[in-house]
Amino acid sequence: MDGALLRSLTPSVLGILVRRGADFAAAEDAVQDALAEAVRVWPADPPRDPKGWLVTVAWRRFLDAVRADTARRRREDLVDEEPVPGPASAVDDTLQLYFLCAHPSLTPSSAVALTLRAVGGLTTRQIAQAYLVPEATMAQRISRAKRTVSGVSFDRPGDVATVLRVLYLVFNEGYSGDVDLAAEAIRLTRQLAAAIDHPEVAGLLALMLLHQARRAARTTSDGSLVPLAEQDRGRWDTESIAEGVVILQTALARDRLGEFQAQAAVAALHADAPTAEETDWVQIVEWYDELVRLTGSPVARLNRAVAVGHADGPRAGLAALAELDDALPRYDAVAAYLHERDGDHATAARLYAEAARKAANLAERDHLTYQAARLNTRRPGC
């Protein structure tokens, strides 16, 4: 069973049901039922037209739900609209669905969560990790969002800022998580940049390209993580870096700085350094200062502490880190890194081991476990 194929088809199938009159919550439930049926049936009997098969099954599931609580007249009208099995439209509805999910009746955070779950294909756990909240809290937020939009008209799409936030989180999960959605996020952001002249759209596209350019060097052949300082820069995609830098420079020239432009500026400084030792950490700290000013994000503050540790020394970095909540994801990993740079290998090893126990994925856990073991073998008596 090709899970990637099912994830790629989900937005289009969902869009078809919404356009045919299904309210979003019922359509999303019907599509999930169709996906479950595909997992059960396709291995033994794969369809010639997977998208058409999903549309047909999802629509029938929607009709079954409608029949349970809708008057006979409306039920017959919907039956007449049932699509004929066969090839489905090739229209890409994904970006439109992102805007529809950013509905004015939802708060931005709820709209992002709903879109990530229904259209982006992320699990509730993955979304909760992105928002730094418990999984149960995120599940309740998504359920409330579905209830809010159930039965509402989707003729008033949401704003660009909410859609950008969704695309950013989808890219982050695809880039570093269990589900590979990075290329899809870049594709949709390109579409958005072509349709909307907005510096933050350009900033997000630049940020994605600059991060994606380093992707081939981020892991070894066995999937082990390679830290930025140790990456083979000859494996970086120079064309993507050049494109990202040009897009970023054009956006910055408009003097309407936003968080995605600031993040892209940090990525560009890393990409511009011929070696890790030549990285302009002073400028990176300045851009993180801008990012913190714009967002107040604890993650930005965490990353700033690392930059300060390089620009002003590890003890300055540890002082900046001490101002943050030690419950932040990757806090222990950052503390371990800074303590190692300060020469306190015993503390660093302990913190790397603690960070490994809290790691969000297997590759990160293995990397942190290795760092702890590496330092422990250097200590006398170990």
Side-chain angles (χ1 to χ4, degrees):
M1 171 55 59
D2 189 343
L5 173 62
L6 288 176
R7 286 193 296 273
S8 68
L9 292 175
T10 297
S12 293
V13 175
L14 185 58
I16 289 170
L17 265 65
V18 170
R19 289 203 309 275
R20 288 182 176 274
D23 71 73
F24 185 86
E28 200 262 340
D29 288 342
V31 171
Q32 293 300 319
D33 286 346
L35 294 175
E37 184 70 5
V39 170
R40 186 183 69 83
V41 172
W42 286 11
D45 185 21
R48 286 192 296 269
D49 177 19
K51 181 177 176 180
W53 189 98
L54 285 171
V55 169
T56 300
V57 173
W59 186 256
R60 287 173 177 167
R61 291 292 190 275
F62 169 68
L63 292 181
D64 289 344
V66 170
R67 290 187 181 103
D69 58 9
T70 306
R72 180 178 180 82
R73 180 177 178 180
R74 177 56 180 155
R75 179 175 70 238
E76 292 174 349
D77 289 341
L78 289 170
V79 170
D80 290 340
E81 296 171 11
E82 180 176 347
V84 177
S89 169
V91 174
D92 183 359
D93 301 297
T94 308
L95 190 57
Q96 180 187 12
L97 280 172
Y98 273 58
F99 274 95
L100 292 179
C101 287
H103 197 272
S105 63
L106 296 173
T107 64
S109 60
S110 294
V112 171
L114 178 63
T115 312
L116 289 172
R117 181 70 186 92
V119 187
L122 274 65
T123 65
T124 303
R125 176 184 60 81
Q126 291 167 327
I127 302 169
Q129 290 173 347
Y131 268 93
L132 309 180
V133 300
E135 182 174 349
T137 300
M138 183 53 64
Q140 292 174 355
R141 184 179 301 177
I142 293 172
S143 295
R144 285 196 300 268
K146 290 175 67 173
R147 288 196 299 270
T148 299
V149 300
S150 179
V152 305
S153 171
F154 278 86
D155 57 355
R156 294 186 300 149
D159 64 357
V160 175
T162 301
V163 174
L164 287 179
R165 177 63 50 190
V166 175
L167 290 169
Y168 172 70
L169 292 174
V170 169
F171 177 83
N172 279 349
E173 192 61 45
Y175 185 68
S176 61
D178 302 324
V179 182
D180 186 358
L181 295 170
E184 174 69 357
I186 291 174
R187 183 183 71 83
L188 293 173
T189 307
R190 284 191 186 279
Q191 287 186 11
L192 189 58
I196 299 176
D197 182 19
H198 192 296
E200 271 294 82
V201 176
L204 179 58
L205 179 57
L207 175 63
M208 290 178 175
L209 291 171
L210 289 164
H211 277 296
Q212 186 78 342
R214 302 200 303 260
R215 188 168 189 178
R218 290 186 72 247
T219 56
T220 62
S221 58
D222 64 1
S224 300
L225 292 181
V226 181
L228 177 60
E230 300 173 19
Q231 289 176 16
D232 178 0
R233 298 183 180 222
R235 299 184 64 195
W236 290 0
D237 183 346
T238 54
E239 290 186 6
S240 291
I241 290 173
E243 181 186 5
V245 168
V246 169
I247 292 171
L248 173 62
Q249 289 174 338
T250 303
L252 290 175
R254 300 179 65 175
D255 198 24
R256 291 169 55 195
L257 184 63
E259 63 172 297
F260 297 123
Q261 295 169 73
Q263 287 193 56
V266 171
L269 286 167
H270 283 298
D272 187 55
T275 65
E277 293 72 24
E278 295 173 86
T279 303
D280 190 342
W281 288 105
V282 173
Q283 272 205 70
I284 289 177
V285 171
E286 291 173 354
W287 278 112
Y288 274 124
D289 287 340
E290 290 288 348
L291 189 57
V292 169
R293 179 183 63 81
L294 289 165
T295 68
S297 165
V299 175
R301 293 180 184 274
L302 191 69
N303 292 332
R304 179 184 178 277
V306 175
V308 169
H310 282 277
D312 301 325
R315 294 194 179 182
L318 287 168
L321 185 65
E323 299 175 1
L324 306 179
D325 184 351
D326 62 7
L328 276 172
R330 296 186 173 87
Y331 181 99
D332 290 329
V334 170
Y337 178 73
L338 292 171
H339 276 290
E340 180 182 358
R341 286 182 57 84
D342 194 38
D344 186 353
H345 291 178
T347 300
R350 176 179 58 78
L351 288 168
Y352 275 130
E354 181 63 27
R357 286 190 286 271
K358 301 175 183 178
N361 57 64
L362 182 61
E364 184 179 347
R365 187 193 69 189
D366 289 346
H367 171 72
L368 293 167
T369 300
Y370 169 79
Q371 299 304 319
R374 174 180 58 82
L375 293 179
N376 280 326
T377 58
R378 293 182 180 180
R379 293 166 54 197
C382 292

